[in-house]
Amino acid sequence: MEFSIATLLANFSEDKLIAPKILEKKLAPDEDSARKFQVALDALERVGLLEKDKGRYRRIEQEGMVEAKLRCSSKGFCFAIQDVEGAEDVYIRESHLSTAWNGDRVLVKVIKEGSRRRSPEGEVYVILERANPSVLARVKQTKTGYWAVPLDDRLLFELELLNDDEELAGAVDHLVHVEVQRYPIGIHRPVGKVIQILGSDAEEADDLDIVCCKHDLLRSFSHRVSQEAEAIPAKPKKPDLKQRIDLREVFTFSFEPDLGNPEFSVMSKDSPNPTRSHVDHAFSLEKLKSGDWQVGIHLADPGHYITPDSALDREARKRGVSVFLADKLIPIFPESLSCDRLALLPDQERLTLSILVTLTEVGEIAEFEIRPSIIQVNHLLSYRQAQDILDDTQTVDPDLSSRLENLLEVSRLVRHLREQRGAFELNLLDTHRHFDDEGELGPMVTSAFYPAHSMVAELVILANQLVTSHLNALGLPAIYRAQPGPEVDDVAELVKLSNHLGCDFELKDEEEIQPIDFQNFVKALSASQAERVLTYLLEESLKPAVHSTTPKPHFGLSLDCYSHCTSPLSRYTDFQMLRVLKSLFEEGRDRRSTRSKEQVDLGHSDCHDKVNWNVLPPDLQADLEAQFGQLVVHLSERESVAADAEEDLEGLKKTGFMKERTGQVFTGLITGVQSYGFFVEIELESPGGNQIRVEGLVHVSSLKDDWYEYRSRQQTLVGRKNRNQYRLGDNVEVQVKSVDYYRQQIDLVAIGGGSEAGDEPDESFNF
């Protein structure tokens, strides 16, 4: 069954009856899924979520029902976390889970209202979408057969295994990947099948296997998807060029991320790229007679070939975003497309959507236009190569060198404009910057491995910004990227702590935090000895960026609305945004009515103040809005899964690296202090010669020399007798005590360092 209950319900509304045959064609293309589709419809009608009227269905909204995602503890109780910002979490007892598991998306019926001290209480009414199609587990043998015990102690069940006894006999106590064959039904336990034996324990298993199994990352494509991919031509045909501007003679260059780059993994600096990454966009740059610059940002156009609800489209939607695991790429489209036939590679004709921006000599945007186009890239550079050219350490075509230098100049102008509106940057080691934009945090990160990457990022963010403003001005649907501002109280506490650590800074307005406040804060931090730890705390105060169907501010970039569209081969959000542009060019109305003589250019920025009619046909507009409404939560979750998987792999590599150093002594930096201990970041060199940072915990119980008080406001543990303190930002000598490889926990023991405490009153806790 390719569809979930959540996907099915999202197609229904209270005010419109839907014929099931329409949805069946869309969601259940084969006989088996069609049968399950009808079973699901009948079940939803019985539980009162759908109402049938003359063979068609409508959604019934029930009072006291909320949609949420389950977050469970190993002790059995769970909370249903709603997607609506500010909404209360709903407490759910184990007896009210109705066979739902940690991570599942559910409909919860509130059975007891909350109070000032207690959360509302509820019970799972319907499981909308299962989050665990497979699990990592250990095999155990009992009198009744073989069972799989999940490693994640928040999954409160065991699975009966269907494999042959001979196959499982040698797997007892081994780490295995189990595919769920049947979820629990009534009194019947779940059933699974071992699809891969990973090893006798986590350390023996391959890191990549562990991460892919843990996060259910698919490393291959179905036969049907592969067939559709192979049917896409390697070169555009003459009919494909209709209504496209021909830019094949324009000098164009593209950039390829270094997947083996030590900034992205703990691999050797000289590790080769075993697979090619996506090349979603290319650039051109021309100096106009007026003295202005015309920058071209050219985006791959997969939407010309991949039709909605095709097997390729459904697979990309399910995956959501490409995942970068060290030097391994797990794409949303088969690599034959995303890294070859549709990628903007040199000397290949490619269909694109081009954003042509005219910038004045001081970097102001004079005008821009968006056009379907065809280009032919002249050069493909890695960021390492681009940086070598800019540093004059590599001899190349003088024309290419000159254009790169001009592109760098233009990117600096764009950066200046971004800073003027209040956007800020964080000085962090950005280990997961795979997309040429602002990254996961929201603001730009300045310490990218190659400055050439930041050069490209400025122009990519500009392209995202302009496309968003164009769609918003024309009233077209979009998937926006929104980032709320941080909580005022959190930032106020951070300011107090920074002053305590010697960074003199004050908020101009304590009632509302603005991006310019963070910009000024970052500048103040740069002169502080505690810059690194305060930057970490500044990072923690930021709220995550999420997808939205309504335009909302983006705090890190200081924009009123923003979205992603520049990586259509690797993010489904971007792919969908380009589909809106495709609809605009093919079906958009360029005049108020057929009788009107005045028409506008829907691809040009000068139409923004002239359009006061519905540009797209009403049915198409409504269809796109409904699609995006279904997508935003799913795509945000997929991006979260990708980030977790990348961090997991990095964590396993670092943990394995430190396991070999158990007993060794290092000097580290205290990056966090809690009542139970303090975190220490150790900077050291990996086998490949790269600098990596590893964090471990010194538990307060290991501090045997004194009783320690926790001073929360100063982020300090202070000895009651010896007055020794372990304070945020202090250097400390630690010994590696033990390492839990699978949980990625490093336990340290302090053997020296810290500082002398003063007599500063504070709320304290004794240990």
Side-chain angles (χ1 to χ4, degrees):
M1 184 171 71
E2 289 190 5
F3 64 91
S4 64
I5 299 300
T7 305
L8 182 57
L9 281 175
N11 285 277
F12 294 96
S13 63
E14 288 184 280
D15 57 354
K16 187 178 180 181
L17 286 165
I18 303 293
K21 284 296 181 183
I22 297 174
L23 292 182
E24 184 179 331
K25 184 178 179 182
K26 177 181 176 181
L27 301 176
D30 56 64
E31 186 176 337
D32 182 56
S33 57
R35 180 181 58 81
K36 294 175 181 177
F37 173 84
Q38 189 57 54
V39 170
L41 279 183
D42 293 341
L44 290 172
E45 183 185 0
R46 283 199 300 272
V47 298
L49 292 177
L50 290 181
E51 181 181 63
K52 191 174 184 180
D53 184 1
K54 298 178 180 178
R56 296 188 294 175
Y57 293 85
R58 67 162 60 91
R59 178 80 179 264
I60 302 297
E61 296 292 342
Q62 296 192 13
E63 189 176 350
M65 201 83 70
V66 297
E67 182 175 336
K69 190 171 185 178
L70 280 184
R71 287 285 180 267
C72 297
S73 78
S74 58
K75 296 180 180 180
F77 61 83
C78 299
F79 282 91
I81 313 299
Q82 299 183 61
D83 298 316
V84 180
E85 187 176 356
E88 286 188 288
D89 299 339
V90 181
Y91 173 69
I92 301 178
R93 302 176 187 271
E94 185 175 4
S95 58
H96 290 156
L97 284 175
S98 305
T99 74
W101 294 346
N102 178 61
D104 287 351
R105 181 159 291 280
V106 294
L107 272 182
V108 172
K109 188 173 184 178
V110 177
I111 57 177
K112 188 176 182 180
E113 295 297 328
S115 62
R116 290 183 61 186
R117 295 186 178 183
R118 289 182 177 272
S119 299
E121 190 171 334
E123 61 181 357
V124 174
Y125 191 69
V126 171
I127 300 171
L128 298 173
E129 195 162 34
R130 290 285 189 177
N132 301 278
S134 67
V135 295
L136 279 176
R138 287 193 181 278
V139 176
K140 77 171 186 179
Q141 185 178 13
T142 68
K143 294 179 180 179
T144 58
Y146 293 91
W147 297 81
V149 182
L151 265 64
D152 188 341
D153 57 11
R154 297 169 301 173
L155 299 177
L156 311 171
F157 57 86
E158 295 178 0
L159 298 99
E160 182 181 359
L161 294 175
L162 297 178
N163 304 70
D164 294 336
D165 288 354
E166 292 182 6
E167 184 181 353
L168 295 174
V172 174
D173 294 330
H174 278 56
L175 183 65
V176 294
H177 185 204
V178 178
E179 186 179 75
V180 179
Q181 301 289 304
R182 188 194 69 202
Y183 291 99
I185 302 174
I187 62 172
H188 299 288
R189 287 189 174 188
V191 172
K193 183 178 182 181
V194 173
I195 55 176
Q196 186 178 2
I197 300 174
L198 301 175
S200 58
D201 54 34
E203 291 180 60
E204 183 185 286
D206 181 75
D207 292 342
L208 188 63
D209 285 342
I210 290 176
V211 171
C212 289
C213 295
K214 179 179 177 181
H215 297 282
D216 293 301
L217 301 178
L218 303 173
R219 285 181 275 182
S220 61
F221 291 88
S222 69
H223 177 67
R224 185 176 179 185
V225 170
S226 299
Q227 272 188 320
E228 285 191 8
E230 290 303 314
I232 292 177
K235 183 179 179 180
K237 298 178 181 178
K238 192 172 181 179
D240 297 328
L241 308 187
K242 188 178 180 182
Q243 304 298 321
R244 291 182 181 269
I245 59 173
D246 192 342
L247 301 178
R248 284 175 287 189
E249 298 301 318
V250 175
F251 190 98
T252 311
F253 42 94
S254 53
F255 297 89
E256 181 178 32
D258 305 277
L259 288 185
N261 188 314
E263 194 71 2
F264 299 153
S265 70
V266 293
M267 297 173 56
S268 166
K269 292 179 182 178
D270 300 319
S271 296
N273 291 344
T275 182
R276 167 159 273 166
S277 182
H278 307 125
V279 186
D280 297 84
H281 40 257
F283 301 87
S284 60
L285 185 64
E286 300 291 338
K287 190 80 169 182
L288 303 177
K289 292 180 180 179
S290 62
D292 294 341
W293 292 104
Q294 186 180 72
V295 184
I297 303 110
H298 312 280
L299 313 179
D301 187 13
H304 179 81
Y305 299 103
I306 301 172
T307 57
D309 291 319
S310 62
L312 272 169
D313 181 52
R314 287 197 300 271
E315 184 67 21
R317 180 169 61 236
K318 180 169 70 174
R319 295 180 178 225
V321 63
S322 295
V323 186
F324 298 81
L325 299 175
D327 58 347
K328 175 65 177 176
L329 169 67
I330 301 179
I332 63 171
F333 296 118
E335 291 186 43
S336 60
L337 294 183
S338 58
C339 301
D340 188 6
R341 298 185 195 182
L342 300 182
L344 305 186
L345 305 178
D347 304 319
Q348 303 293 323
E349 294 181 351
R350 292 290 185 259
L351 301 184
T352 49
L353 284 168
S354 294
I355 305 157
L356 305 174
V357 192
T358 301
L359 297 172
T360 67
E361 292 178 316
V362 295
E364 295 178 348
I365 301 167
E367 60 180 2
F368 68 89
E369 55 184 315
I370 307 170
R371 307 292 181 199
S373 57
I374 180 171
I375 68 169
Q376 183 166 310
V377 172
N378 297 83
H379 290 278
L380 172 65
L381 302 169
S382 71
Y383 289 115
R384 181 180 302 182
Q385 292 171 327
Q387 194 60 49
D388 287 345
I389 294 170
L390 291 171
D391 293 340
D392 291 327
T393 60
Q394 181 176 340
T395 303
V396 293
D397 176 4
D399 190 24
L400 174 60
S401 178
S402 174
R403 291 176 187 274
L404 273 178
E405 290 173 359
N406 288 337
L407 194 71
L408 180 61
E409 177 186 344
V410 169
S411 74
R412 286 170 176 164
L413 295 174
V414 174
R415 176 184 178 181
H416 179 66
L417 284 181
R418 180 173 58 81
E419 292 175 339
Q420 278 189 320
R421 69 173 181 258
F424 60 96
E425 300 174 346
L426 292 182
N427 183 21
L428 291 167
L429 186 65
D430 188 1
T431 57
H432 302 288
R433 190 173 177 179
H434 309 304
F435 298 100
D436 297 326
D437 49 39
E438 74 283 358
E440 297 172 9
L441 295 179
M444 288 280 285
V445 174
T446 56
S447 57
F449 190 74
Y450 297 117
H453 199 175
S454 294
M455 170 188 75
V456 172
E458 294 290 352
L459 299 175
V460 165
I461 291 172
L462 176 64
N464 286 331
Q465 175 189 344
L466 295 180
V467 169
T468 307
S469 68
H470 194 65
L471 297 181
N472 194 36
L474 298 181
L476 300 180
I479 300 177
Y480 294 96
R481 187 72 172 169
Q483 184 180 33
E487 297 295 334
V488 174
D489 291 344
D490 293 343
V491 179
E493 287 298 317
L494 178 56
V495 169
K496 291 177 184 177
L497 181 60
S498 69
N499 292 335
H500 177 73
L501 294 176
C503 178
D504 189 18
F505 181 76
E506 292 183 6
L507 288 172
K508 292 182 179 179
D509 183 358
E510 296 186 358
E511 298 298 322
E512 185 177 4
I513 306 299
Q514 300 292 339
I516 191 67
D517 294 322
F518 269 50
Q519 187 185 104
N520 293 332
F521 203 171
V522 170
K523 289 178 182 177
L525 290 182
S526 64
S528 169
Q529 292 184 345
E531 179 188 11
R532 193 198 300 180
V533 292
L534 287 174
T535 301
Y536 288 158
L537 294 176
L538 201 66
E539 174 192 356
E540 289 177 6
S541 73
L542 292 172
K543 293 184 178 180
V546 295
H547 295 303
S548 170
T549 54
T550 55
K552 296 178 181 178
H554 189 290
F555 184 80
L557 296 178
S558 190
L559 289 169
D560 291 333
C561 62
Y562 179 73
S563 63
H564 287 154
C565 68
T566 48
S567 298
L569 298 177
S570 43
R571 285 191 300 221
Y572 194 73
T573 49
D574 304 48
F575 180 45
Q576 287 295 92
M577 290 291 284
L578 296 197
R579 274 186 168 161
V580 178
L581 289 175
K582 179 180 172 66
S583 298
L584 172 67
F585 297 132
E586 293 181 353
E587 301 191 47
R589 293 169 50 209
D590 60 3
R591 64 194 77 190
R592 173 176 284 278
S593 68
T594 54
R595 296 180 180 179
S596 177
K597 294 181 179 180
E598 294 185 12
Q599 63 185 85
V600 298
D601 183 351
L602 293 175
H604 200 284
S605 58
D606 67 6
C607 75
H608 290 183
D609 296 329
K610 301 174 183 177
V611 174
N612 55 8
W613 59 86
N614 294 327
V615 173
L616 293 181
D619 287 348
L620 177 57
Q621 176 92 8
D623 186 45
L624 288 171
E625 289 173 351
Q627 287 181 38
F628 292 174
Q630 299 169 24
L631 280 173
V632 288
V633 172
H634 167 71
L635 294 177
S636 290
E637 288 179 352
R638 292 310 302 167
E639 289 186 3
S640 178
V641 167
D644 289 346
E646 291 165 8
E647 289 175 7
D648 262 353
L649 183 64
E650 199 80 9
L652 287 172
K653 288 183 178 295
K654 289 180 178 180
T655 307
F657 180 62
M658 292 304 291
K659 180 109 176 165
E660 299 172 358
R661 285 151 182 78
T662 301
Q664 294 186 18
V665 176
F666 300 94
T667 299
L669 178 72
I670 297 179
T671 56
V673 183
Q674 298 293 334
S675 59
Y676 52 82
F678 56 90
F679 293 92
V680 178
E681 184 179 76
I682 302 169
E683 190 167 341
L684 64 167
E685 191 173 280
S686 73
N690 309 312
Q691 292 301 116
I692 61 173
R693 294 174 182 172
V694 180
E695 190 174 72
L697 173 68
V698 176
H699 197 274
V700 70
S701 62
S702 70
L703 302 176
K704 305 292 187 182
D705 60 329
D706 203 348
W707 288 90
Y708 279 82
E709 299 175 343
Y710 173 52
R711 295 182 174 176
S712 59
R713 291 183 181 176
Q714 283 79 39
Q715 290 279 293
T716 307
L717 284 170
V718 181
R720 294 176 64 182
K721 295 180 180 180
N722 61 21
R723 307 306 295 162
N724 184 49
Q725 72 175 0
Y726 296 102
R727 182 184 63 171
L728 186 74
D730 281 350
N731 288 316
V732 62
E733 273 193 299
V734 292
Q735 183 180 44
V736 180
K737 178 184 177 183
S738 62
V739 176
D740 187 319
Y741 182 77
Y742 179 73
R743 289 183 173 81
Q744 302 171 34
Q745 295 175 354
I746 301 171
D747 290 327
L748 307 172
V749 177
I751 60 174
S755 56
E756 186 176 345
D759 296 322
E760 300 178 17
D762 185 44
E763 298 175 3
S764 303
F765 300 92
N766 298 334
F767 299 92

